Amino acid sequence: AGVGGGGLEAAVREAFRTMDRDGSGSLSTQEVYEGLNSVGIAVAVEEVEKMVAAADTDGVDGVSEGELLTMMRDVAEGKGVMRTAFRQGGAWLPGFIAQPLVALLEFIGRLDDKQDRKLQGKVRPYDMREASGEMLELRGKLSQLVLDNDAVWKREENRREQIRTALERAKKETSGATDRGDLVSKLSQTESPGIILGPYFLLCWILDVLFTNRPIQRFWFLENVARMPYLSYSTMLAYYEVLGWWRASSDVRLIHFAEEWNEVQHLKIMEALGGDRLWLDRFLARHAAVFYYIILNHAWLISPSAAYNFSELIEFHAVDTYGEFLDANEELLKSMPAPQEAIDYYESDDLFLFDEFQTGREPSTRRPRVNSLYDVFMNIRDDELEHVKTMFECQTAEVQIMSPNSRKQRVEKQTASR
C-alpha cells in the first residue's frame, strides 16, 4: 500500500526503509526487533512477534509499508492499549460488551485526536508524530524506565510500620513530656479510618492495573488528578465565605492555590516527557479529574478533616511511588536531560508561590537545582512530601495555618513594633 504525505506517513516511510535491510519490501520479525532496539526501545522478541502477526493483515510473510503505517496509526490513537485494557477475547469482559465499548471509545478517540491537532504548538510542548532523531533517542530511553508496583506497596507498608512503631514508642514516653504528648495526639488524630482507606486502596489498585510498566503515563494521570483536591478545597472555602460561615480563610486558600499551581507544573513536566501521548490516557484522566473534584467537594462539606486525610494518603503514596521510581532508574535518569518546563519552574527568579505551599518551612529555604531528569523527579518527590506535611497541619493545627510569607511578614511587623 502507498503512503501519503504528512508527518506520520513520512516518519513511517523513513523507519521502514531503515529497517528493511535486505530490500525485500517487507519487514521480518528480526528486522523489526533490531530496528526498535537500535533506537533504544528495549522490547522482547516475543512481543515483536505479536506485533508483526497483528500488523500482517494480508497474510503475506512480513509487514509491508502500508501495514506498518496502519499499525502506527492505531498506536497513535491508542487502540492497542485500549484493546488490551478491555480484553476483547473475554478474559474479564464479555465480547458483546467489549466490542461496542471499544468502537465507542475509538470514535471518541478520533474526535479527541482531532481537537489535539488544533492545539499542537499552542498548548502541548511538541508534536509526538514529528520527532527528531534526538527526540527518538530520548523516547527510547523513556521507554526503558520501569516501576514495580509490588515494590511501591512494600515501601508503603514499611513506612506505615515505621510510623506505627514510632507512635507506640512515643505513647510510652509521653509522661511528663508535653511536646511529645502533643505529637502523639496529632498522629493519632490523623490515623485513617476504614471509610477512607477503602476508596484509597481501590484507587491505587486501579492505577496499578491501568499503568503497569507505564510510569510516565501513570505520573501524568496522577498529576492531572492531583490538582483537584486543592481546587476543591479552595472552592469550598470560598463557598463558606460567601455563606458567611467562615471569613478567615483567605490565607488557607492561598496555600491551596499554591499547592494546585505546583501540581500544574508537575503536569507540564510529564506532558513534556510524552505522558499524554495516548488519547485513552487523556480520556480517563480528564473524566477522573472531574469525578474526583465533585466527590471531594461533598467530602469536604461533610468533614474537612476527612478530605484532608484522604489527600494526605494520596500524597504519601506519591512520595513512595516517586521514591521507588528514583531508586529503580537512577543511572538512566541521570543520563537524560531535564525538560525545559522543569528548569523554568524550579530555577525561576520568582518562587513566591513555590514557597507558599511549604507551610513547614521558612521562605527561600528550599531552592532545588535541575541538572538532569533525576533531579527533576527528586524535586517532584520532595514537593509531594511538602504536600503531606501541609495536609497533616490542616488536620491538626489548633489555630488557622498561615502561608510562609504571611507568617514571615507577621513576625517582621511584631519585631518592628517592639
Side-chain angles (χ1 to χ4, degrees), residues 11-25:
V12 170
R13 184 187 300 114
E14 181 64 27
F16 185 88
R17 291 175 179 173
T18 301
M19 289 190 287
D20 186 19
R21 296 183 177 180
D22 60 5
S24 64

PDB file of all heavy atoms in Angstrom, residues 11-25:
ATOM      1  N   ALA A  11       7.478   9.758   8.582  1.00  0.00           N
ATOM      2  CA  ALA A  11       8.258   9.068   9.617  1.00  0.00           C
ATOM      3  C   ALA A  11       8.215   7.560   9.420  1.00  0.00           C
ATOM      4  O   ALA A  11       9.228   6.866   9.574  1.00  0.00           O
ATOM      5  CB  ALA A  11       7.724   9.447  11.007  1.00  0.00           C
ATOM      6  N   VAL A  12       7.030   7.019   9.076  1.00  0.00           N
ATOM      7  CA  VAL A  12       6.891   5.581   8.851  1.00  0.00           C
ATOM      8  C   VAL A  12       7.689   5.145   7.632  1.00  0.00           C
ATOM      9  O   VAL A  12       8.355   4.107   7.643  1.00  0.00           O
ATOM     10  CB  VAL A  12       5.401   5.202   8.692  1.00  0.00           C
ATOM     11  CG1 VAL A  12       5.263   3.767   8.207  1.00  0.00           C
ATOM     12  CG2 VAL A  12       4.667   5.373  10.015  1.00  0.00           C
ATOM     13  N   ARG A  13       7.628   5.969   6.576  1.00  0.00           N
ATOM     14  CA  ARG A  13       8.380   5.628   5.350  1.00  0.00           C
ATOM     15  C   ARG A  13       9.876   5.545   5.646  1.00  0.00           C
ATOM     16  O   ARG A  13      10.553   4.607   5.215  1.00  0.00           O
ATOM     17  CB  ARG A  13       8.112   6.681   4.273  1.00  0.00           C
ATOM     18  CG  ARG A  13       8.779   6.355   2.935  1.00  0.00           C
ATOM     19  CD  ARG A  13       8.639   7.481   1.926  1.00  0.00           C
ATOM     20  NE  ARG A  13       7.245   7.755   1.641  1.00  0.00           N
ATOM     21  CZ  ARG A  13       6.625   8.891   1.964  1.00  0.00           C
ATOM     22  NH1 ARG A  13       7.284   9.834   2.623  1.00  0.00           N
ATOM     23  NH2 ARG A  13       5.371   9.077   1.641  1.00  0.00           N
ATOM     24  N   GLU A  14      10.390   6.532   6.394  1.00  0.00           N
ATOM     25  CA  GLU A  14      11.806   6.555   6.723  1.00  0.00           C
ATOM     26  C   GLU A  14      12.174   5.370   7.616  1.00  0.00           C
ATOM     27  O   GLU A  14      13.212   4.723   7.430  1.00  0.00           O
ATOM     28  CB  GLU A  14      12.150   7.873   7.425  1.00  0.00           C
ATOM     29  CG  GLU A  14      13.619   8.028   7.789  1.00  0.00           C
ATOM     30  CD  GLU A  14      14.522   8.081   6.555  1.00  0.00           C
ATOM     31  OE1 GLU A  14      14.039   8.496   5.481  1.00  0.00           O
ATOM     32  OE2 GLU A  14      15.694   7.686   6.672  1.00  0.00           O
ATOM     33  N   ALA A  15      11.308   5.079   8.623  1.00  0.00           N
ATOM     34  CA  ALA A  15      11.571   3.954   9.521  1.00  0.00           C
ATOM     35  C   ALA A  15      11.560   2.635   8.756  1.00  0.00           C
ATOM     36  O   ALA A  15      12.388   1.751   9.004  1.00  0.00           O
ATOM     37  CB  ALA A  15      10.520   3.931  10.634  1.00  0.00           C
ATOM     38  N   PHE A  16      10.621   2.499   7.808  1.00  0.00           N
ATOM     39  CA  PHE A  16      10.518   1.258   7.031  1.00  0.00           C
ATOM     40  C   PHE A  16      11.786   1.027   6.215  1.00  0.00           C
ATOM     41  O   PHE A  16      12.340  -0.070   6.190  1.00  0.00           O
ATOM     42  CB  PHE A  16       9.301   1.316   6.118  1.00  0.00           C
ATOM     43  CG  PHE A  16       9.047   0.043   5.364  1.00  0.00           C
ATOM     44  CD1 PHE A  16       8.263  -0.962   5.919  1.00  0.00           C
ATOM     45  CD2 PHE A  16       9.602  -0.176   4.106  1.00  0.00           C
ATOM     46  CE1 PHE A  16       8.033  -2.144   5.231  1.00  0.00           C
ATOM     47  CE2 PHE A  16       9.383  -1.356   3.415  1.00  0.00           C
ATOM     48  CZ  PHE A  16       8.595  -2.340   3.984  1.00  0.00           C
ATOM     49  N   ARG A  17      12.247   2.082   5.547  1.00  0.00           N
ATOM     50  CA  ARG A  17      13.446   1.947   4.716  1.00  0.00           C
ATOM     51  C   ARG A  17      14.674   1.619   5.560  1.00  0.00           C
ATOM     52  O   ARG A  17      15.564   0.884   5.132  1.00  0.00           O
ATOM     53  CB  ARG A  17      13.674   3.229   3.921  1.00  0.00           C
ATOM     54  CG  ARG A  17      12.613   3.470   2.843  1.00  0.00           C
ATOM     55  CD  ARG A  17      12.803   4.814   2.172  1.00  0.00           C
ATOM     56  NE  ARG A  17      11.809   5.038   1.127  1.00  0.00           N
ATOM     57  CZ  ARG A  17      11.650   6.176   0.476  1.00  0.00           C
ATOM     58  NH1 ARG A  17      12.430   7.213   0.765  1.00  0.00           N
ATOM     59  NH2 ARG A  17      10.716   6.295  -0.454  1.00  0.00           N
ATOM     60  N   THR A  18      14.717   2.172   6.756  1.00  0.00           N
ATOM     61  CA  THR A  18      15.856   1.907   7.652  1.00  0.00           C
ATOM     62  C   THR A  18      15.861   0.456   8.114  1.00  0.00           C
ATOM     63  O   THR A  18      16.916  -0.200   8.153  1.00  0.00           O
ATOM     64  CB  THR A  18      15.803   2.843   8.871  1.00  0.00           C
ATOM     65  OG1 THR A  18      15.848   4.204   8.423  1.00  0.00           O
ATOM     66  CG2 THR A  18      16.973   2.579   9.807  1.00  0.00           C
ATOM     67  N   MET A  19      14.680  -0.063   8.463  1.00  0.00           N
ATOM     68  CA  MET A  19      14.598  -1.423   8.998  1.00  0.00           C
ATOM     69  C   MET A  19      14.660  -2.495   7.918  1.00  0.00           C
ATOM     70  O   MET A  19      15.093  -3.617   8.174  1.00  0.00           O
ATOM     71  CB  MET A  19      13.314  -1.576   9.823  1.00  0.00           C
ATOM     72  CG  MET A  19      13.343  -0.816  11.150  1.00  0.00           C
ATOM     73  SD  MET A  19      11.949  -1.214  12.252  1.00  0.00           S
ATOM     74  CE  MET A  19      10.610  -0.386  11.406  1.00  0.00           C
ATOM     75  N   ASP A  20      14.229  -2.174   6.702  1.00  0.00           N
ATOM     76  CA  ASP A  20      14.216  -3.159   5.614  1.00  0.00           C
ATOM     77  C   ASP A  20      15.620  -3.306   5.031  1.00  0.00           C
ATOM     78  O   ASP A  20      15.913  -2.847   3.924  1.00  0.00           O
ATOM     79  CB  ASP A  20      13.224  -2.723   4.531  1.00  0.00           C
ATOM     80  CG  ASP A  20      13.054  -3.783   3.456  1.00  0.00           C
ATOM     81  OD1 ASP A  20      13.389  -4.964   3.710  1.00  0.00           O
ATOM     82  OD2 ASP A  20      12.601  -3.433   2.357  1.00  0.00           O
ATOM     83  N   ARG A  21      16.476  -3.968   5.775  1.00  0.00           N
ATOM     84  CA  ARG A  21      17.892  -4.039   5.405  1.00  0.00           C
ATOM     85  C   ARG A  21      18.150  -4.895   4.176  1.00  0.00           C
ATOM     86  O   ARG A  21      19.117  -4.672   3.447  1.00  0.00           O
ATOM     87  CB  ARG A  21      18.699  -4.568   6.586  1.00  0.00           C
ATOM     88  CG  ARG A  21      18.652  -3.633   7.801  1.00  0.00           C
ATOM     89  CD  ARG A  21      19.507  -4.129   8.940  1.00  0.00           C
ATOM     90  NE  ARG A  21      19.497  -3.196  10.060  1.00  0.00           N
ATOM     91  CZ  ARG A  21      20.153  -3.368  11.194  1.00  0.00           C
ATOM     92  NH1 ARG A  21      20.910  -4.463  11.350  1.00  0.00           N
ATOM     93  NH2 ARG A  21      20.098  -2.473  12.162  1.00  0.00           N
ATOM     94  N   ASP A  22      17.310  -5.903   3.945  1.00  0.00           N
ATOM     95  CA  ASP A  22      17.547  -6.763   2.780  1.00  0.00           C
ATOM     96  C   ASP A  22      16.833  -6.250   1.531  1.00  0.00           C
ATOM     97  O   ASP A  22      16.942  -6.864   0.463  1.00  0.00           O
ATOM     98  CB  ASP A  22      17.119  -8.198   3.081  1.00  0.00           C
ATOM     99  CG  ASP A  22      15.638  -8.315   3.429  1.00  0.00           C
ATOM    100  OD1 ASP A  22      14.919  -7.288   3.351  1.00  0.00           O
ATOM    101  OD2 ASP A  22      15.200  -9.424   3.787  1.00  0.00           O
ATOM    102  N   GLY A  23      16.083  -5.138   1.638  1.00  0.00           N
ATOM    103  CA  GLY A  23      15.409  -4.547   0.484  1.00  0.00           C
ATOM    104  C   GLY A  23      14.300  -5.397  -0.089  1.00  0.00           C
ATOM    105  O   GLY A  23      13.947  -5.242  -1.262  1.00  0.00           O
ATOM    106  N   SER A  24      13.700  -6.274   0.713  1.00  0.00           N
ATOM    107  CA  SER A  24      12.668  -7.189   0.218  1.00  0.00           C
ATOM    108  C   SER A  24      11.295  -6.535   0.080  1.00  0.00           C
ATOM    109  O   SER A  24      10.400  -7.110  -0.521  1.00  0.00           O
ATOM    110  CB  SER A  24      12.563  -8.397   1.157  1.00  0.00           C
ATOM    111  OG  SER A  24      12.128  -7.981   2.452  1.00  0.00           O
ATOM    112  N   GLY A  25      11.127  -5.361   0.656  1.00  0.00           N
ATOM    113  CA  GLY A  25       9.819  -4.712   0.597  1.00  0.00           C
ATOM    114  C   GLY A  25       8.889  -5.137   1.719  1.00  0.00           C
ATOM    115  O   GLY A  25       7.726  -4.720   1.751  1.00  0.00           O
TER     116      GLY A  25
END
